[in-house]
Amino acid sequence: MSDSTPNPHANTGIDTTVPHSARVWNYWLGGKDNYAVDRKTGDAVIAVYPQIKVNARESRKFLKRVVGFLAGEAGIRQFLDIGTGLPTADNTHEVAQRIAPDAKVVYADNDPLVLAHARALLIGTPEGETKYLHADVREIPDLMRGAAEILDFSQPVAVLMLGVLGHLDDTDEARAVVAQILDRVPSGSYLAISDAILTEERRIAEETYSKTDGVHYHARPPEAIASFFDGLEWVEPGFQSVSLWRADPAADEPETQGENVQPLAAVVPVDQWGGVARKP
């Protein structure tokens, strides 16, 4: 007897039988936009590398601080967030448009589930603009052509590539992708990157991750990731653990819960590193 229940994901490109990196990351963040196959993969990695959940949370805090700096101190009004993942709290447009309501934000990802959520959730301010592109980071001309429908590439743009370049196997290819994007943005633009650095613990986690169907991620030595910024001017404090980059425990963690005052958690380094740099 066959199951006649219609598949809600038919003809959407969403495959719930294999894990997907955006949904696994959502699971590590404590989100609900994932499936059993994603949780199985996520749990397998957690079993050998419990820190991955801390890395995920610290990466979101890093995004918030980076966008806050770019929209505030740097005065950037245009953002290109490549590999945005599933919407969650404090997305790029929310942080940027709280500071500058007229900020324009373009998100790009190649996951159909991200597209479905983005259409419903990635709604910006009336003064600004928010757009989602279904695009692959390897297809730079198409990606930038779509982004140009909203962004003015004669004016500075902040390019965010957070947790993205590890999906490219070859370091030279990843470096070339970054260079192609930077060639298409003007002087005064900014680049923000974060990715996993290679440690023994991370290597074991990567081996576990690679055994699953459809999910591959490559941690790199810090100097390899830092090389993606070649030719740019570092924003202080440079390239380091995302948890330490302009860390502000008072802003990142609530100081009180109910009537009880909670001590602020000490900031500790994680093996997810990142930085921001300006194109001269």
Side-chain angles (χ1 to χ4, degrees):
M1 183 174 178
S2 63
D3 185 357
S4 61
T5 303
N7 180 0
H9 302 298
N11 302 317
T12 65
I14 299 172
D15 189 345
T16 62
T17 66
V18 296
H20 190 282
S21 59
R23 302 193 308 252
V24 175
W25 190 258
N26 175 266
Y27 174 59
W28 288 331
L29 280 170
K32 298 179 180 179
D33 298 316
N34 48 73
Y35 301 98
V37 67
D38 306 306
R39 296 188 286 275
K40 181 179 179 181
T41 295
D43 286 340
V45 175
I46 291 170
V48 298
Y49 184 59
Q51 186 184 324
I52 190 64
K53 295 175 70 175
V54 177
N55 288 1
R57 291 195 300 269
E58 292 297 337
S59 294
R60 291 302 300 183
K61 295 176 186 177
F62 175 71
L63 180 149
K64 182 179 177 180
R65 296 195 299 271
V66 165
V67 176
F69 159 77
L70 291 167
E73 184 178 334
I76 294 295
R77 295 295 177 265
Q78 302 189 111
F79 295 80
L80 176 56
D81 187 341
I82 300 173
T84 178
L86 288 159
T88 183
D90 284 325
N91 300 290
T92 298
H93 74 283
E94 293 171 317
V95 178
Q97 291 175 353
R98 276 201 298 266
I99 297 169
D102 61 338
K104 298 179 180 180
V105 179
V106 172
Y107 294 99
D109 205 293
N110 66 348
D111 181 9
L113 185 64
V114 174
L115 173 60
H117 283 261
R119 285 172 172 162
L121 299 177
L122 298 181
I123 301 172
T125 60
E127 302 94 326
E129 291 186 73
T130 306
K131 178 182 176 65
Y132 175 83
L133 297 177
H134 186 70
D136 193 303
V137 70
R138 297 175 180 85
E139 302 295 333
I140 301 301
D142 289 344
L143 190 159
M144 301 301 279
R145 190 179 304 115
E149 295 178 7
I150 297 295
L151 306 179
D152 176 1
F153 285 119
S154 70
Q155 300 297 316
V157 177
V159 178
L160 311 180
M161 303 184 76
L162 309 183
V164 175
L165 295 171
H167 292 292
L168 301 179
D169 298 357
D170 185 77
T171 299
D172 289 338
E173 179 190 11
R175 192 179 296 112
V177 163
V178 174
Q180 289 178 58
I181 294 171
L182 289 175
D183 283 345
R184 290 168 167 82
V185 299
S187 173
S189 294
Y190 287 81
L191 173 68
I193 291 174
S194 68
D195 260 312
I197 63 166
L198 187 60
T199 63
E200 179 60 19
E201 293 80 6
R202 182 75 199 198
R203 183 189 62 77
I204 295 171
E206 195 171 295
E207 290 177 354
T208 302
Y209 213 15
S210 66
K211 291 176 183 176
T212 64
D213 293 328
V215 178
H216 301 278
Y217 198 89
H218 301 273
R220 294 184 168 95
E223 59 272 18
I225 303 172
S227 73
F228 301 148
F229 294 91
D230 284 353
L232 305 182
E233 301 169 344
W234 285 111
V235 170
E236 291 295 333
F239 184 66
Q240 59 178 251
S241 167
V242 295
S243 60
L244 302 180
W245 195 91
R246 301 200 173 197
D248 184 359
D252 287 340
E253 302 288 351
E255 189 172 355
T256 61
Q257 295 181 4
E259 297 180 354
N260 299 319
V261 177
Q262 302 293 324
L264 295 177
V267 178
V268 297
V270 296
D271 52 21
Q272 193 88 1
W273 282 35
V276 179
R278 180 182 181 274
K279 180 177 180 178

